[in-house]
Amino acid sequence: MTTIGLTLPQLGPVVSASLVRDFVQQADEMGFDSLWVQDHFLYSLDQSGDYGGSAASQPDVYRSVWAPTEMLAAVATWTERLQLGTSILVGGNHWPAQLANRLATIDRISNGRLSVVGLSVGWSEEEHRAVGVDPRTRGKRMDEFAPALRACWGDDPVEYHGAFFDIGPAIMQPKPTRIPQFMSGMYSKAGLARTARDFDLWNPGSIPISNVVSLLDDINSLRPAGKAPVGAIYRLAQQSTSGKRMSVEEMTTRVAECATADLDGVIVETNFCSEITTSAAWLDVLSKLEPLVDAAKG
């Protein structure tokens, strides 16, 4: 069965604690399966390189982004059913040992509902430099990031030694109640090879479902022997960062295609919808998405 989830209200000036709480409770009542966060923390006024989305430059909504792990910790107390995930945390914004502790804490607060940890290399050179990470090393750093994070959740004493991360031997508690699935948001040739080696899921978006299936076959052709095939959770934006809009009917069709292709899940992104200028508008956009729930269930 294909699960269906929602990105939380996280971007832009409208976000508030009361809005997020109301959104979570409405999503729960509507029958969605999961809630997701993303990861940026500054809006550069002098951007180097290309923006990683579909727009020519970083959208204004990124001028305010609530922190992902703190949001999930709060959300964990506002629902007892919905699964929680990250789509996507930027590896360069974090360090595996500290992130392991934050995520394990979220899992414990939510009684084991942190189901997926999504990671990618990111695109913002300014964010990397702001946390003391050389953006030129982001790929090689990610080669170590997922293995180091897994090591932190292994049996104590934990230990990982690499070119970028030097951990332990040490005691690291708490552990998550179960090891979440690791999801890749990478698309480059090196990133897809990394996905095949270190991840359980892939997080494509925008492309046709037939392309997702084809690329999954390519990823799994690189998969080490003995590992279960990499699955996919599809990211579906109601409005893209470039402003391209999908109707609810079109989105429902895409979700049904995901279910027919037996993808693991769909994440519905609404943070970029231009009509969201108030809390009421956020909840109104959500209220119209119920057909997607039915489509995911088949």
Side-chain angles (χ1 to χ4, degrees):
M1 183 179 71
T2 299
T3 63
I4 181 107
L6 297 159
T7 57
L8 287 161
Q10 190 180 353
L11 312 183
V14 176
V15 178
S16 67
S18 60
L19 165 61
V20 178
R21 183 173 58 249
D22 290 346
F23 183 96
V24 167
Q25 293 170 353
Q26 185 169 321
D28 202 347
E29 292 170 0
M30 291 174 70
F32 283 93
D33 299 309
S34 56
L35 299 166
W36 301 80
V37 289
Q38 51 199 290
D39 186 21
H40 286 290
F41 64 87
L42 63 76
Y43 182 94
S44 176
L45 298 178
D46 188 16
Q47 180 182 313
S48 302
D50 296 327
Y51 166 58
S54 57
S57 60
Q58 192 174 9
D60 281 350
V61 72
Y62 277 119
R63 289 175 180 266
S64 175
V65 183
W66 284 35
T69 53
E70 288 81 352
M71 282 200 75
L72 280 185
V75 166
T77 69
W78 294 333
T79 172
E80 296 181 353
R81 182 184 67 84
L82 292 168
Q83 297 290 304
L84 307 175
T86 71
S87 171
I88 294 289
L89 298 181
V90 176
N93 296 353
H94 302 277
W95 299 85
Q98 291 176 317
L99 184 61
N101 181 255
R102 292 191 187 104
L103 293 174
T105 299
I106 291 167
D107 184 74
R108 292 290 180 165
I109 290 171
S110 66
N111 293 317
R113 286 183 288 121
L114 181 68
S115 58
V116 176
V117 174
L119 299 165
S120 192
V121 295
W123 56 266
S124 173
E125 295 183 16
E126 289 75 26
E127 285 186 330
H128 281 76
R129 288 196 290 267
V131 294
V133 172
D134 184 346
R136 294 172 298 180
T137 67
R138 57 187 179 175
K140 292 181 179 179
R141 193 175 182 273
M142 184 56 71
D143 282 335
E144 295 187 14
F145 200 102
L149 186 58
R150 286 188 191 274
C152 292
W153 287 334
D155 293 337
D156 288 324
V158 304
E159 194 165 0
Y160 182 89
H161 305 288
F164 293 92
F165 310 116
D166 189 23
I167 303 168
I171 307 299
M172 289 193 65
Q173 295 286 340
K175 309 289 188 188
T177 56
R178 55 176 175 167
I179 304 300
Q181 289 187 290
F182 280 40
M183 181 169 70
S184 161
M186 293 173 277
Y187 288 83
S188 69
K189 182 178 180 180
L192 295 181
R194 201 176 291 125
T195 301
R197 185 183 66 237
D198 296 330
F199 290 80
D200 310 297
L201 298 164
W202 183 47
N203 190 207
S206 303
I207 62 177
I209 304 306
S210 58
N211 290 15
V212 172
V213 173
S214 177
L215 284 166
L216 270 180
D217 288 342
D218 293 342
I219 291 170
N220 282 309
S221 71
L222 304 173
R223 188 74 163 161
K227 285 192 173 185
V230 173
I233 298 180
Y234 188 82
R235 191 177 183 91
L236 177 62
Q238 185 164 15
Q239 184 169 319
S240 73
T241 56
S242 65
K244 184 177 179 180
R245 185 79 178 204
M246 292 185 74
S247 68
V248 172
E249 183 178 1
E250 290 171 327
M251 296 171 71
T252 301
T253 298
R254 186 66 58 89
V255 172
E257 291 172 350
C258 290
T260 298
D262 201 26
L263 300 189
D264 295 75
V266 178
I267 302 169
V268 180
E269 169 65 271
T270 53
N271 274 279
F272 302 101
C273 290
S274 55
E275 72 269 33
I276 294 177
T277 57
T278 64
S279 295
W282 254 114
L283 299 177
D284 184 59
V285 167
L286 171 59
S287 70
K288 294 179 171 64
L289 299 179
E290 194 160 2
L292 279 64
V293 178
D294 296 333
K297 309 307 179 189

